[in-house]
Amino acid sequence: MSEELNPETPEADEPIKQRKNGLYPGVSDELAENMKSGWADTELHDLQPCPQAAETAARRAALSARFPGERLVVPAGNLKTRSNDTEYAFRASVEYAYLTGNQTEDGVLVLEPRAEGHDATIYLLPRSNRENGEFWLDGQGELWVGRRHSLTEAEKHYGIPASDVRELAGRLAGATGPVRVVRGYDAGVEAALADKVTAERDDELKVFLSEARVVKDAFEIGELQKAVDATVHGFEDVVKVLDKAEATSERYIEGTFFLRARVEGNDIGYGSICAAGPHACTLHWVRNDGAVRSGDLLLLDAGVETHTYYTADVTRTLPINGTYSELQRKIYDAVYEAQEAGIAAVKPGGKFRDFHDAAQRVLATKLVEWGLVEGPVERVLELGLQRRWTLHGTGHMLGMDVHDCAVARTESYVNGTLEPGMCLTVEPGLYFQADDLTVPQEYRGIGVRIEDDILVTEDGNKNLSAGLPRAADEVEAWMARLKG
């Protein structure tokens, strides 16, 4: 990685600051003057609106209607340091990206109240200044990190009037009237509003934006399908290289899926769980440094994120050698039966909890039948005794966050009613820990989860991830075809 000359933006009336331990002692007046000119005009004059421009406008209108007469401030967030002068890859706040379609750091959406409704402005960094050398001397100058839209381009692309974000703090500091801000992303914005906002009012804003995403529009559903389709390809990629994973580790599986995520999407939607053998019993196993052995199971929980931030969340538990053992199949079939019951319960008008209750009942019944817990089943469910081996809830909302709509009110989410356009996961599992002395030895170290992304439709549901086989026989046949 190259080393920029100067990590600070030079002011026009200040001498150029030098980087400690930089290889150049400074910048001559002649070079500084030379760098100001001789550059072509690169303004984009035929820029089209972003694909979701109509949807983001409708979302801002709904937000405006909910909080009339109030100034609303929604930041994208800032770069975070990874080490010394390198930063983590930036991901804009979901609230900001949902309302604007923009994903650049330091951006802020402001809705200014007027007599009726609001005027929206998106505050962004403009093109790097060439007159003062910012574009090539600043660590975030365009010569170092790439071109960004001019404010005129941004206005065309996102359909929102654009202004220089460096002027925003002063404007916010002088603001009057009620203000709400989405907290946790931009300390500078919060500091400018420190005497104007309350945590309670701000929480109401964040809850509203979370609940706004509960029912997906057509654009969002299309993006989720893209994410799932790319994820299917990633699972296929993994099956084709399981022999290489056996020769190395779970990291080979992680890297294989990540390649697909970066080629077909923006990134992975969350840390991939590539859990072989007893690691499958660790729910969020993301170290991915364990051995991959023939005869064991691989629990792969992974999802591709699209360029608009919508993510898939799919799990399959695969026999590494291509064939389930008798006990592995028995446990797998139990989880499959539970998932089938859960998916069948996903329908408009049903309760959100219904799919969880249906899946847990099947698993509790199996545990009683196998003699692992004392029945009757109603007693097991009432006391939650099955949770020793089922551990987690059976699903969650899905969207721009893998656990989407997380701060919605309970009555709108887990205690709510399913509606067409909602998208959720159905993911029952059974996990027999390697040190669990309450189960027979042969069970220990086996973990199985099956997870699909389910869209609520007008007349039932649609499995967006149906492109991946689920039944044990189908999984084995699919793996055999891919290994070819």
Side-chain angles (χ1 to χ4, degrees), residues 249-251 253 272-293 296-301 317 320 391 430-434 444-449:
S249 75
E250 295 162 338
R251 292 282 171 92
I253 295 166
S272 298
I273 299 167
C274 308
H279 288 163
C281 299
T282 301
L283 297 182
H284 288 168
W285 177 259
V286 292
R287 298 180 201 172
N288 298 334
D289 58 0
V292 179
R293 300 184 179 93
D296 284 346
L297 297 176
L298 166 67
L299 190 157
L300 178 58
D301 184 338
T317 305
I320 292 168
L391 296 176
L430 281 174
Y431 312 92
F432 299 103
Q433 306 297 326
R444 299 173 197 167
I446 296 178
V448 173
R449 179 163 67 252

Side-chain angles (χ1 to χ4, degrees), residues 40-50 53 100 102 104 122 124-128 142 146-163:
D41 178 9
T42 60
E43 184 76 7
L44 303 175
H45 299 287
D46 57 351
L47 203 61
Q48 299 299 309
C50 65
T100 66
N102 178 257
T104 55
I122 187 171
L124 302 166
L125 283 172
R127 296 289 308 279
S128 290
E142 291 182 351
R147 186 188 189 279
R148 53 183 176 253
H149 285 313
S150 71
L151 296 181
T152 300
E153 291 171 350
E155 188 166 327
K156 291 179 182 176
H157 193 54
Y158 302 109
I160 313 170
S163 291

Side-chain angles (χ1 to χ4, degrees), residues 8-10 35-36 39-40 42-43 105 124-151 153 164 166:
E8 300 182 42
T9 303
M35 292 295 286
K36 293 180 182 180
W39 304 102
T42 60
E43 184 76 7
E105 65 270 14
L124 302 166
L125 283 172
R127 296 289 308 279
S128 290
N129 190 321
R130 301 206 175 207
E131 186 64 26
N132 69 1
E134 173 195 352
F135 82 104
W136 72 289
L137 293 172
D138 188 292
Q140 294 300 318
E142 291 182 351
L143 188 145
W144 289 98
V145 299
R147 186 188 189 279
R148 53 183 176 253
H149 285 313
S150 71
L151 296 181
E153 291 171 350
D164 190 335
R166 293 172 295 189

Side-chain angles (χ1 to χ4, degrees), residues 409-442:
R409 294 169 299 170
T410 302
E411 58 266 32
S412 300
Y413 193 158
V414 295
N415 289 340
T417 300
L418 295 178
E419 300 177 39
M422 290 182 174
C423 188
L424 53 98
T425 67
V426 178
E427 50 175 312
L430 281 174
Y431 312 92
F432 299 103
Q433 306 297 326
D435 59 351
D436 187 350
L437 301 182
T438 70
V439 299
Q441 175 70 44
E442 61 268 24

